[in-house]
Amino acid sequence: MTDTAAPAIKTAEKPLFEGAEWNFDTIQRVHDTVEKIAVGEMGLDVYPNQIEVITAEQMLDAYASSALPLLYKHWSFGKSFAQQEMLYRKGFRGLAYEIVINSSPCISYIMEENTALMQTLVIAHAAFGHNHFFKNNYVFQQWTDAEGILDYLDFAQGYIAECEQKYGHGEVERLLDAAHALQQQGVFRYPRKKVPDLKSEERKFRERQLHEERVYDDLWRTLPKASTPGAPRDSREEERRKALLQLPQENILYFLEKTSPMLKGWQREVLRIVRNIAQYFYPQRQTKMMNEGCATWTHYTIMGTLHDRGLIPDGAYLEFLQSHTNVVFQPEFDDPRYSGLNPYAVGFAVMRDIERACLTPDEEDHRWFPDIAGCGDPIGVLKDTWHNFRDESFIQQYLGPKVIRDFRLFDLSDDSDEPTYLVRAIHNERGYREIRNRLAWHYDIARMEPDIQVVDVDLTGDRRLMLRHRAIDGVMLEEGDARRVLGYLADLWGYDVLLTEVDAATDMILKEHKAGPRRRFG
Amino acid sequence: MHIIDRRLNPKGKSLPNRQRFLRRAKALVRDAVHESSASRGVRDVEQGGELSIPKAGVSEPTFHHGQGSGIRDHVLPGNKEFVEGDRLPRPPGGGGRGTEGSPDGGGEDDFRFALSRDEFVDLFLEDLELPDLVKQKVAASESVSWHRAGYSPSGAPANMALGRTMRNSLSRRIALKRPNKAEIRRLYEEIEDRERKGEVSEELEALRAELAELLQKTSRIPFVDPIDVRYKRFDPKPKPIARAVMFCLMDVSGSMTEDMKDLAKRFFMLLHIFLARRYKHVDVVFIRHTHTAQEVDEDTFFHNRETGGTIVSTALEEMMRVVRERYPVSDWNIYAAQASDGDNITADAGRVLSLMQEDILPICQYYAYIEVGRGDGGLPGHHARRESDLWSTYRRIMGPEVPMAMRKVNHRREIFPVFRDLFKKDGDKAVGRVP
């Protein structure tokens, strides 16, 4: 296709690049043009951008440390590197085109092997799509501190290296193993009063160190006074103790850091580092689908605009369409390639559906989305969703019948007491709402991950730590792993631990797991 | 916006993590290396390659939901014929065709990953060593390292210690009261000032005299004097190095079939890799023999074909000749490895015996003999094959105090275990025992 054959709506602007080659001027030009569209026309609000060019090998390196530019050293990252490298070398898996970091400035890594078109796509996707989402979504605002994360990671890396020097690799590794096992239980799921401020973390560390030298342990203070045998337990005493220990507590790492009787100061600090990093990733896990949807919708819109204005040649646009369709491809459930719902596909589809309902609504949209149908401002509506929703609530609010039909979604119920699966709902009038609810649950991290809390400490007896798993719909923990994690927990706590699994609906005890310390820390 | 080129940054940022992982999984990886080395050629040992270790050894447990309890719902795409209320048979084995994105990533599979060449060879050779590397010799010239050792008043200009020199200069100038610039300038200005006013007085004369004296003093006391100058001093420190030589003796006579030569070459190749990687200062001497023996270079040793009769003692004599000429016993640790099919002319046995007992074994730290078999692993009938000439000769030498080991290799797959057995690090060495 030549320029003369191009449709007449194109303006006479010169394309941003010719062919696949690029240099730093190209990147700068592309960024500035995309910025004009994204910020100037679409009104996106982003952190300052920093684009870093890396090689494929460096990209593999970046994979290995949870995509963070600097992270402390641990064998598990080496393991994931070995695995990624294997898959990559054997050609089972390509590399991501980019990695973007929720920080200010927002860092996007782009690979030198990418073509000029891919770099344009990546800049639109990461440097503006993800960047806008990071900066504006309420979950990120509530939980992460984009300004401070790089400094904090730097501090954490240095601190852990220092601990390795002081206390030996083995000791630190064992502690990190234990802490990693409990990492998912190291986040606060419900907002605290204070926005986290990672910059002050390092300063606070010094203060804590001073404080901890005059160790003050709630456990000892709250030891009940000797009471006459057989006297009824003072229930107010128990309540006071639980309040002091902030029980029940869902953040097990936080609880251990604050109350474990055995741990030394540096060990508490390492637990704190692990849980701070887990907390940093928590919003990303809650908004994976929306985040990718937002970035995909943004790049799709921007690339379309660039092409309309003749800034991208037709051939390159075809290349874009090919990678775009790869990204949003959703294999069906019986396809060998199926490995769950593709967050890019779902997010993009729902957002396109919102756009459609805003611009060309039909009767069904008026019924399902009375607030937005035909409002004519898709970007405004989408920005509102990007700011105020997470995956679960977004699906609950915006998954419409058209998307359900397009994906031909159905709900399959697997009851372990039944010999067969049950198809509970399909894409019809009766099933839409059921599917929407179920899929929303599917995106609800609090529901998909086991709900485990520290409920009490048996202070009168053997100081046993008691935890409870609320088994929703009777789904219990995988026993082998649970036992191993409990072993780590007992090492950290220093005394026995008891995990009780109770049915969420009936409070019936389903199972108990016990573990004692093998080699306690401290 | 900033664009930063990070391509120049070092890659391999995750190398420390990788090393930690290998250390963590070391026992598992080592087993896997030994297992996989059995199926490789010797050349391939240096290739590195893919390994798999049991996942359980490097698992990272977390709390997660298990299978087989409670009710769970899956929302799946791509419905074709199902309608609400359909009941579908549960696929056998519980798991299902990927309906559950199994959170642990799929059971107790093996964990596969690739080792680099260096990692592979290091692990393979890790617990091997040359026994009794004791005669550590301080060699004369080349093994000297230089260490900083204070300052000296003489030395090469490149080594001048500027800080120290200037410090000395300053203290000398202060001690000798060398006038400073400011003082001289003040005097100049004052004299000039007074001269301009046309003043003529004794005071002015005194000032002039003072200035002249100061200037004279300045020229007498130099800013930097040769006695100030200091040089960084370096001390030579002799570095002890263990010097060792390995003699590789191979029988290439007509009785050795191609298979047997291949086995022997594989053994020496392995030995060569082992020595080259583990000991920097090991010389290797290659000697091959038929009814005559000659020292050859590595390439000839491994690749040349020659054939003839068999007289083992010629090789031993050749070895003694080389020792006498180039490797004085007082300075070198001497090792030897011999491979042969065990055939020797009967008349030579006495000569071999005396050479071994009187000349070679007394000077050797370790002598390894491998006898290559016919590769058939012992046919039925051949089972009680008669002991070879050389084997029975050497057997007479063996004793608990003799630094010698003998092994038989009949098949390619036995080379690795035998090699490891011969050079194992710990106490239960093959020395002095006949298997």
Side-chain angles (χ1 to χ4, degrees):
Chain A
M1 222 185 266
T2 63
D3 271 347
T4 49
I9 48 161
K10 284 187 183 174
T11 54
E13 283 185 74
K14 207 169 148 275
L16 289 167
F17 49 83
E18 301 277 355
E21 296 300 317
W22 56 270
N23 55 30
F24 281 42
D25 291 340
T26 321
I27 300 280
Q28 184 73 50
R29 207 159 55 233
V30 164
H31 174 271
D32 294 348
T33 314
V34 171
E35 185 175 38
K36 236 176 272 164
I37 297 172
V39 178
E41 297 171 25
M42 293 162 69
L44 298 187
D45 168 29
V46 293
Y47 292 122
N49 270 309
Q50 177 165 323
I51 292 174
E52 307 200 350
V53 182
I54 59 175
T55 63
E57 269 159 331
Q58 286 169 328
M59 184 63 98
L60 266 174
D61 275 348
Y63 272 19
S65 46
S66 319
L68 289 175
L70 25 101
L71 190 58
Y72 55 86
K73 309 269 182 279
H74 188 250
W75 64 270
S76 60
F77 308 130
K79 174 183 157 189
S80 82
F81 178 83
Q83 216 161 15
Q84 298 286 356
E85 189 193 26
M86 188 74 189
L87 291 171
Y88 175 58
R89 298 234 184 279
K90 290 202 143 186
F92 289 143
R93 188 180 293 172
L95 287 174
Y97 298 122
E98 41 76 32
I99 283 181
V100 57
I101 295 176
N102 170 25
S103 62
S104 176
C106 176
I107 301 176
S108 316
Y109 292 113
I110 60 178
M111 276 200 297
E112 64 169 352
E113 283 85 348
N114 291 351
T115 60
L117 180 274
M118 283 311 300
Q119 306 295 31
T120 314
L121 171 57
V122 163
I123 288 171
H125 182 90
F128 290 94
H130 282 308
N131 192 345
H132 175 82
F133 198 84
F134 286 148
K135 187 169 177 191
N136 294 284
N137 185 268
Y138 84 103
V139 193
F140 283 92
Q141 286 177 345
Q142 206 160 48
W143 291 120
T144 62
D145 171 21
E147 309 267 333
I149 183 66
L150 293 179
D151 287 341
Y152 186 69
L153 288 174
D154 190 37
F155 156 74
Q157 191 181 37
Y159 185 79
I160 288 183
E162 200 184 301
C163 286
E164 285 180 338
Q165 292 284 318
K166 274 195 210 157
Y167 311 105
H169 282 274
E171 244 347 71
V172 176
E173 181 168 298
R174 203 165 67 90
L175 182 64
L176 283 174
D177 287 353
H180 283 185
L182 290 161
Q183 199 164 22
Q184 278 178 31
Q185 277 71 41
V187 292
F188 292 102
R189 282 160 217 274
Y190 303 99
R192 292 168 298 168
K193 283 171 217 123
K194 203 165 49 108
V195 174
D197 170 16
L198 290 173
K199 261 187 189 153
S200 60
E201 279 289 320
E202 192 176 348
R203 181 176 49 72
K204 280 201 278 181
F205 158 68
R206 309 262 165 247
E207 294 168 9
R208 266 198 309 282
Q209 226 178 10
L210 283 176
H211 173 78
E212 269 153 17
E213 299 198 334
R214 300 166 261 134
V215 161
Y216 168 85
D217 199 335
D218 278 334
L219 263 188
W220 303 111
R221 197 168 66 121
T222 54
L223 272 172
K225 293 169 196 77
S227 54
T228 47
R233 184 88 69 79
D234 188 347
S235 69
R236 276 183 48 224
E237 182 72 13
E238 189 180 323
E239 258 169 46
R240 200 173 75 90
R241 178 182 75 230
K242 285 197 177 185
L244 270 172
L245 296 172
Q246 297 178 32
L247 293 174
Q249 175 59 264
E250 54 163 358
N251 191 333
I252 299 178
L253 285 182
Y254 173 80
F255 177 81
L256 289 170
E257 177 199 325
K258 297 297 176 205
T259 34
S260 165
M262 307 301 289
L263 295 181
K264 296 210 179 71
W266 68 272
Q267 292 168 323
R268 290 173 209 270
E269 191 61 35
V270 169
L271 294 191
R272 190 180 178 82
I273 286 170
V274 170
R275 89 178 158 79
N276 272 331
I277 290 175
Q279 192 77 58
Y280 170 78
F281 280 117
Y282 186 55
Q284 313 215 355
R285 283 163 46 217
Q286 280 183 302
T287 56
K288 172 87 176 148
M289 180 268 293
M290 281 195 79
N291 203 338
E292 295 302 353
C294 165
T296 308
W297 188 88
T298 305
H299 82 225
Y300 185 76
T301 309
I302 290 175
M303 297 301 275
T305 310
L306 289 174
H307 180 239
D308 285 347
R309 295 182 188 166
L311 292 164
I312 301 180
D314 290 332
Y317 192 66
L318 278 178
E319 185 194 341
F320 157 68
L321 286 177
Q322 201 228 340
S323 15
H324 174 76
T325 35
N326 274 340
V327 165
V328 298
F329 173 64
Q330 175 63 63
E332 300 190 335
F333 78 99
D334 49 358
D335 192 306
R337 290 168 292 182
Y338 179 76
S339 61
L341 283 170
N342 176 353
Y344 294 81
V346 176
F348 181 65
V350 176
M351 286 168 197
R352 287 286 283 174
D353 195 46
I354 292 174
E355 191 184 1
R356 185 194 53 79
C358 289
L359 296 174
T360 53
D362 54 23
E363 180 269 335
E364 192 178 46
D365 295 321
H366 282 292
R367 265 190 297 130
W368 279 74
F369 307 118
D371 296 347
I372 60 164
C375 74
D377 176 22
I379 294 186
V381 172
L382 282 173
K383 273 202 274 190
D384 177 60
T385 66
W386 295 338
H387 299 182
N388 300 314
F389 289 80
R390 58 195 171 110
D391 286 358
E392 178 226 350
S393 51
F394 178 69
I395 288 291
Q396 191 66 266
Q397 189 73 24
Y398 290 108
L399 180 68
K402 178 161 188 308
V403 175
I404 297 178
R405 280 195 303 272
D406 288 349
F407 276 85
R408 304 181 78 83
L409 293 177
F410 66 106
D411 179 72
L412 192 69
S413 171
D414 171 9
D415 183 340
S416 59
D417 294 336
E418 296 280 335
T420 52
Y421 294 138
L422 171 68
V423 177
R424 204 198 283 266
I426 65 161
H427 55 284
N428 59 16
E429 207 57 48
R430 275 151 48 93
Y432 292 145
R433 279 177 203 281
E434 177 76 6
I435 285 177
R436 184 156 88 168
N437 285 338
R438 295 283 163 182
L439 192 61
W441 283 355
H442 177 78
Y443 281 111
D444 184 3
I445 298 250
R447 200 186 164 82
M448 293 315 284
E449 286 179 358
D451 171 13
I452 296 171
Q453 303 197 342
V454 180
V455 287
D456 203 359
V457 183
D458 183 8
L459 291 167
T460 51
D462 46 13
R463 241 174 260 141
R464 179 155 57 172
L465 183 67
M466 285 180 277
L467 298 105
R468 174 172 303 193
H469 170 227
R470 279 180 71 243
I472 297 170
D473 288 337
V475 179
M476 293 198 288
L477 294 176
E478 203 280 305
E479 202 174 340
D481 265 12
R483 215 178 305 125
R484 275 186 285 172
V485 179
L486 278 185
Y488 282 130
L489 182 55
D491 288 348
L492 288 168
W493 176 245
Y495 299 95
D496 287 354
V497 293
L498 172 70
L499 171 65
T500 314
E501 297 198 61
V502 299
D503 189 272
T506 61
D507 266 352
M508 213 169 64
I509 294 180
L510 300 172
K511 205 183 237 177
E512 288 193 338
H513 309 267
K514 284 179 202 155
R518 299 157 295 189
R519 235 182 94 203
R520 52 175 71 144
F521 291 95
Chain B
M1 198 245 337
H2 293 292
I3 307 175
I4 299 176
D5 191 352
R6 295 268 185 222
R7 284 172 295 181
L8 299 175
N9 281 24
K11 59 186 185 225
K13 229 169 60 174
S14 56
L15 203 63
N17 286 329
R18 184 180 172 80
Q19 286 160 349
R20 271 155 221 251
F21 166 59
L22 286 180
R23 196 170 59 208
R24 169 89 179 199
K26 192 146 198 183
L28 297 167
V29 174
R30 198 165 42 211
D31 289 350
V33 165
H34 292 169
E35 209 168 282
S36 84
S37 62
S39 59
R40 297 165 180 252
V42 176
R43 281 277 177 218
D44 302 344
V45 168
E46 291 227 75
Q47 297 299 313
E50 199 178 295
L51 276 190
S52 67
I53 58 175
K55 209 174 201 166
V58 285
S59 75
E60 299 164 82
T62 53
F63 284 127
H64 57 83
H65 290 139
Q67 306 271 357
S69 60
I71 308 165
R72 50 191 88 211
D73 275 276
H74 307 283
V75 177
L76 304 169
N79 180 17
K80 292 176 188 67
E81 76 267 1
F82 305 143
V83 293
E84 188 184 330
D86 273 2
R87 288 204 165 267
L88 312 177
R90 202 182 283 275
R97 42 193 169 175
T99 47
E100 160 81 298
S102 151
D104 58 348
E108 290 294 297
D109 296 345
D110 277 1
F111 179 82
R112 298 188 74 78
F113 63 100
L115 275 183
S116 76
R117 196 189 106 137
D118 283 359
E119 285 165 340
F120 191 92
V121 178
D122 281 351
L123 279 164
F124 178 73
L125 300 173
E126 186 194 53
D127 46 357
L128 303 182
E129 69 175 5
L130 284 178
D132 303 326
L133 196 57
V134 284
K135 278 188 245 165
Q136 299 210 330
K137 273 291 156 190
V138 180
S141 55
E142 70 275 357
S143 63
V144 160
S145 65
W146 293 87
H147 293 264
R148 266 303 300 278
Y151 298 93
S152 97
S154 62
N159 289 337
M160 188 188 284
L162 282 179
R164 178 57 67 108
T165 303
M166 293 317 288
R167 204 160 87 192
N168 287 345
S169 143
L170 183 65
S171 53
R172 183 182 46 80
R173 278 179 276 135
I174 291 169
L176 297 178
K177 298 205 174 67
R178 186 179 196 261
N180 62 26
K181 264 189 197 151
E183 206 178 337
I184 292 172
R185 193 183 316 123
R186 192 183 50 76
L187 274 174
Y188 258 127
E189 278 166 8
E190 196 170 344
I191 292 167
E192 231 170 60
D193 205 32
R194 291 181 187 221
E195 279 174 347
R196 219 178 302 128
K197 287 180 195 151
E199 186 182 318
V200 181
S201 65
E202 269 178 34
E203 222 174 311
L204 181 59
E205 283 305 313
L207 282 174
R208 281 184 179 138
E210 194 183 342
L211 178 63
E213 194 190 340
L214 285 184
L215 287 174
Q216 207 189 1
K217 211 169 179 182
T218 306
S219 67
R220 269 207 312 269
I221 305 171
F223 191 78
V224 176
D225 192 274
I227 61 163
D228 299 336
V229 180
R230 290 293 178 275
Y231 298 89
K232 292 173 191 152
R233 207 171 86 87
F234 291 88
D235 251 4
K237 212 173 179 183
K239 216 167 47 181
I241 49 165
R243 297 211 290 185
V245 56
M246 170 67 80
F247 287 89
C248 298
L249 315 177
M250 180 163 61
D251 179 0
V252 290
S253 63
S255 61
M256 292 273 284
T257 63
E258 272 313 306
D259 278 354
M260 292 157 88
K261 283 182 194 166
D262 182 58
L263 279 179
K265 283 174 188 171
R266 278 166 190 277
F267 177 82
F268 284 121
M269 224 175 264
L270 203 54
L271 184 62
H272 191 42
I273 292 169
F274 167 57
L275 294 174
R277 294 191 69 88
R278 292 297 298 274
Y279 299 94
K280 285 219 168 55
H281 299 280
V282 171
D283 283 8
V284 185
V285 176
F286 297 100
I287 294 171
R288 56 176 196 166
H289 75 91
T290 53
H291 56 282
T292 60
Q294 93 195 96
E295 188 191 348
V296 295
D297 61 17
E298 181 186 342
D299 194 53
T300 319
F301 185 79
F302 284 116
H303 301 117
N304 209 349
R305 291 150 183 260
E306 199 199 70
T307 184
T310 316
I311 303 173
V312 174
S313 62
T314 56
L316 302 179
E317 275 160 4
E318 176 74 4
M319 172 175 160
M320 286 313 295
R321 181 188 67 79
V322 176
V323 168
R324 272 193 300 274
E325 275 174 21
R326 305 212 299 268
Y327 300 103
V329 180
S330 54
D331 289 356
W332 289 81
N333 293 302
I334 295 171
Y335 295 86
Q338 183 186 13
S340 158
D341 62 350
D343 283 350
N344 196 11
I345 53 171
T346 326
D348 192 40
R351 179 94 188 103
V352 169
L353 204 59
S354 72
L355 267 171
M356 286 296 280
Q357 278 178 323
E358 279 153 37
D359 296 328
I360 293 184
L361 287 177
I363 61 164
C364 270
Q365 307 295 108
Y366 189 50
Y367 192 101
Y369 170 63
I370 67 157
E371 187 160 301
V372 288
R374 302 200 177 271
D376 48 22
L379 287 174
H382 270 71
H383 197 66
R385 195 177 138 212
R386 99 192 147 78
E387 213 168 56
S388 72
D389 305 317
L390 204 53
W391 188 272
S392 56
T393 311
Y394 281 168
R395 234 162 98 98
R396 283 156 58 191
I397 310 171
M398 293 300 276
E401 297 305 316
V402 179
M404 180 166 174
M406 307 161 57
R407 288 288 181 278
K408 280 185 175 138
V409 176
N410 284 314
H411 193 273
R412 208 182 274 185
R413 66 172 171 266
E414 294 170 9
I415 285 193
F416 287 92
V418 164
F419 183 81
R420 294 190 56 80
D421 192 30
L422 285 172
F423 293 96
K424 235 183 331 209
K425 203 178 237 169
D426 49 20
D428 58 320
K429 198 152 302 130
V431 173
R433 285 187 288 116
V434 181

